[in-house]
Amino acid sequence: MGEKMRVDKFISNMGFGSRKDIKEFIKKKKITVNGEVIKKSDIYIDTDDEIFCCGQRVVYEKYIYIMMNKPVGYVSANEDKREKTVFDLIGNEYRKNELFVAGRLDKDTEGLLIITNNGKFAHNMLSPKKHVDKTYFVRIEGGVISDADIDSFSSGIVIDGGYKCKPAKIEVLENGDISESLLTISEGKFHQVKRMFEAVGKKVIFLKRVKIGELCLDESLEKGDFKLLNDDEVRLIGAELE
Ligand code: URA
């Protein structure tokens, strides 16, 4: 036995269109449940039932994970009165109401963003105990990244407010008036990367997340584009499959 769910909600959640679209399909007799054409959208199905929509089997997946290449200018919230949100970029065919961002990025940060309905994963991603590494490409001004900076990052830098960060790894790509590096951290405090660099007198002028766990941003995704992760990719971020 699976879970009981309203048929229109279920099919819409599995990515076949909005609830309105599903009602239309029902009117056009395009949906069957265990071999029977259904006539109403308010009936309840079991997620183990054999359901077809427009000739395609609707297979139940409890969790979905979306990779987005987040553009600058969007906030990582489900709703915002003033700002554009990353959900404005996601069409209705996804389970918009049940999804949330796992590991927010600031409005002015771009790159790899995971959007899921798996709350436990979202929690684990930010927990230092779970060690989900997040790697950022960081461009800074304020001078070169010195050996002393690298040592402070690796021994746990204290940021404003007195919080001692977990050890972080930094790989310097370019040192100069403007310096570039890859920084890997295992936690997710508010503005963490910016505050870590501030603590060594530098200002972050560009920030992009490029990797979570072992999963790299798919660079073929244009800014604002997104895709569903497949099972192998889900494993790379350390999330459960069910
Ligand atoms: N650290 C920051 O400062 N900002 C982000 O968006 C992510 C990590």
Side-chain angles (χ1 to χ4, degrees), residues 104-106 109 136 185 189 191-195 207:
R104 292 160 176 247
L105 291 174
D106 297 336
T109 302
Y136 295 85
I185 59 176
K189 301 278 171 219
H191 295 333
Q192 180 156 352
V193 175
K194 292 172 186 159
R195 287 157 76 201
L207 187 57

Side-chain angles (χ1 to χ4, degrees), residues 124 127-134 166 186 213:
N124 288 351
S127 164
K129 289 195 198 102
K130 300 286 177 184
H131 298 291
V132 181
D133 284 343
K134 275 117 350 210
K166 294 279 174 288
S186 61

Side-chain angles (χ1 to χ4, degrees), residues 55-74:
Q56 240 185 302
R57 176 84 199 260
V58 185
V59 182
Y60 181 52
E61 279 182 69
K62 186 165 177 184
Y63 294 129
I64 62 167
Y65 303 86
I66 293 172
M67 171 195 282
M68 178 183 282
N69 185 1
K70 178 192 173 296
V72 165
Y74 288 78

